[in-house]
Amino acid sequence: MSNQSKIIAALLAGVAVGAVIGLLFSPDSGEENREDFAGWVKDLYDSSKEKAGEFAEKSMNAVKSRRSPGMHGFSDDVEKTLGV
């Protein structure tokens, strides 16, 4: 294992240990922590979904602006697949 891999592994291990210690010593109850975590995951999911949609839209706009006359069917198929 290279030095860079060891550093990254140690960093990730430190983050995990810090998260566990933070949860154990949190003044909130376990139920509150779970609700907070579930809310954070939902927000992350919604944000990721929104960013993916924006990326798909920008990609389709780029394809449309650069497509040749013979590619109309291709971009229509991509639009149907992406739901754009």
Side-chain angles (χ1 to χ4, degrees):
M1 188 184 297
S2 70
N3 283 339
Q4 186 177 13
S5 298
K6 289 178 184 178
I7 291 171
I8 292 171
L11 178 68
L12 292 175
V15 168
V17 169
V20 169
I21 290 173
L23 287 173
L24 289 175
F25 289 102
S26 171
D28 297 332
S29 69
E31 184 176 346
E32 290 174 353
N33 284 334
R34 286 188 296 274
E35 288 174 2
D36 290 345
F37 182 72
W40 178 78
V41 169
K42 185 180 182 318
D43 290 344
L44 181 64
Y45 172 77
D46 291 341
S47 174
S48 298
K49 190 175 177 181
E50 182 180 322
K51 295 288 184 188
E54 290 172 5
F55 176 74
E57 186 176 340
K58 288 179 183 179
S59 298
M60 281 308 303
N61 289 338
V63 167
K64 284 180 182 178
S65 69
R66 290 170 178 74
R67 70 180 172 190
S68 63
M71 292 189 65
H72 290 290
F74 170 75
S75 62
D76 292 341
D77 290 341
V78 171
E79 286 178 353
K80 283 183 192 176
T81 302
L82 295 175
V84 178

